[in-house]
Amino acid sequence: MNTPGAELALPIDDSALADRLRARMATVEEALYGHASSRAPYVTEAARHLLAAGGKRFRPLLVLLAAEAGPRPDADEVLTAACVVEITHVGSLYHDDVMDEAALRRGEDSANARYDNLVAILTGDWLFAKSSELTAQLGPEAVRIQAETFTRLVEGQILETVKPGPDEDALAHYLEVVAGKTGSLIATSARYGALFSGAAPEVVTALTEYGELVGTAFQLSDDILDIASESEESGKTPGTDLKEGVPTLPVLMARASTDPADARLLELLDPSRSDLAADAQLHAEALDLLRKHPAMAQAQAYVVARAQEAKQRLQALPEGSVRTALEAFADVVAVRSA
């Protein structure tokens, strides 16, 4: 038998809470399509392309769930904030796919594959503009938060293209990228939900910190999936980051190996190599060796630890179904398979 909130992509044992979230997510989903509408039909089609491809909708769901920690979880501002974070996220995916030269997104053609890079970039910009319009409806503080979040998100994207210096720790550099690229918006999702539902300041702070840690775990889990899953499972081309030379957590941990048996893998993962993208056989070999390496288990353990830290931040919330659901949210993010 399915749990009450199974279709919400996380387990919720409280039927009443699951029903509330399900109803509000339906409202948000309808609103998203309305916001992704332009007077130009071609823009509407392009803007709705990745929106229609689906996804877990983790960010708006987190807004709605965090809002349950306040006295006004059904406030109009909460629903608007849920749309803001998802539209911002979807806009970033258009740019991300151009940077990755990805062919698939959520099992569908990426925007750059369906249209071209120019249309994908401009569509992402258009969606960012729409999220800004919506944020303006939420007041000056929301505008400030969104501006700071967007700064961190874009900075993370830029830093991802910059190799760490010779004296810089590669893992620390990468975690900074993750914190900006993914942690920032998920932290804001939790923050918006608590803030616009009228939660106490200490709860807003706790949920913001929780969101940052969950966001880090989410991205690191995604990086593990990029290596571990098949395309039909994840909806993405396996090994995209590996092919593009993006050093994710499993790769960085594998590179730290001093085992002579890993010589071939280390040769393939050498940062100076540039032939994995062009040579399908070499890419497949590297992917196979990496999947079998202990670095995969080490990376998974690291992700689980971040999720545990996130759950510790929830001590500021009273015990109950909302806190339990937020704990489950962290667990699902850490061990997700899609």
Side-chain angles (χ1 to χ4, degrees):
M1 183 172 65
N2 292 330
T3 57
E7 67 274 32
L8 294 171
L10 73 154
I12 298 178
D13 294 330
D14 185 324
S15 296
L17 174 60
D19 286 344
R20 292 197 300 274
L21 292 175
R22 191 180 300 110
R24 289 170 192 155
M25 277 301 296
T27 300
V28 168
E29 192 72 19
E30 182 178 357
L32 285 171
Y33 281 88
H35 296 313
S37 178
S38 166
R39 57 190 176 85
Y42 183 77
V43 176
T44 300
E45 177 193 338
R48 291 180 176 179
H49 175 63
L50 290 186
L51 196 64
K56 299 294 185 182
R57 302 286 195 253
F58 273 128
R59 292 159 187 81
L61 179 57
L62 181 54
V63 173
L64 302 183
L65 183 52
E68 289 285 335
R72 301 187 302 278
D74 58 349
D76 289 343
E77 293 86 351
V78 171
L79 300 177
T80 298
C83 291
V84 166
V85 297
E86 185 65 8
I87 291 173
T88 302
H89 168 60
V90 172
S92 74
L93 296 183
Y94 283 79
H95 290 184
D96 211 22
D97 285 347
V98 171
M99 292 176 67
D100 292 345
E101 298 180 356
L104 291 175
R105 170 67 70 176
R106 297 169 177 168
E108 302 289 339
D109 289 341
S110 63
N112 49 303
R114 183 181 180 92
Y115 304 101
D116 57 36
N117 284 348
L118 180 60
V119 170
I121 291 170
L122 291 175
T123 301
D125 291 345
W126 187 85
L127 287 167
F128 289 145
K130 294 299 291 188
S131 71
S132 296
E133 286 183 7
L134 288 173
T135 305
Q137 298 176 18
L138 297 173
E141 185 174 8
V143 171
R144 178 184 61 80
I145 292 170
Q146 184 72 1
E148 291 173 352
T149 302
F150 196 51
T151 297
R152 290 186 63 201
L153 191 157
V154 175
E155 187 177 73
Q157 289 277 25
I158 294 171
L159 288 177
E160 187 177 39
T161 70
V162 179
K163 293 182 179 179
D167 298 326
E168 188 177 358
D169 182 85
L171 180 57
H173 175 88
Y174 176 63
L175 292 176
E176 184 180 1
V177 168
V178 170
K181 181 179 174 181
T182 305
S184 60
L185 187 57
I186 294 183
T188 294
S189 299
R191 184 178 186 178
Y192 275 163
L195 180 66
F196 291 116
S197 69
E202 62 271 19
V203 172
V204 175
T205 298
L207 283 172
T208 302
E209 293 173 354
Y210 162 90
E212 182 87 19
L213 286 160
V214 164
T216 297
F218 185 91
Q219 180 60 56
L220 296 178
S221 181
D222 192 61
D223 294 342
I224 293 171
L225 280 174
D226 180 68
I227 295 167
S229 67
E230 300 296 335
S231 59
E232 59 266 21
E233 296 173 346
S234 66
K236 294 174 65 178
T237 304
T240 297
D241 291 327
L242 182 64
K243 180 179 290 187
E244 297 303 317
V246 177
T248 55
L249 185 63
V251 170
L252 290 168
M253 289 183 164
R255 282 180 182 169
S257 172
T258 57
D259 188 340
D262 293 332
R264 177 56 178 166
L265 176 59
L266 294 176
E267 179 187 347
L268 291 169
L269 297 182
D270 189 315
S272 65
R273 293 191 75 115
S274 59
D275 54 356
L276 290 186
D279 193 318
Q281 186 174 347
L282 284 178
H283 177 258
E285 182 185 1
L287 196 59
D288 180 62
L289 290 172
L290 193 52
R291 284 171 173 170
K292 297 173 181 176
H293 195 273
M296 293 296 287
Q298 294 169 9
Q300 186 65 67
Y302 185 91
V303 172
V304 170
R306 300 293 76 72
Q308 291 300 316
E309 285 186 44
K311 289 161 67 174
Q312 290 172 9
R313 298 301 195 277
L314 298 175
Q315 298 297 318
L317 278 67
E319 292 186 3
S321 59
V322 174
R323 179 167 152 183
T324 298
L326 286 164
E327 290 172 343
F329 192 103
D331 288 335
V332 167
V333 162
V335 299
R336 65 197 179 97
S337 58

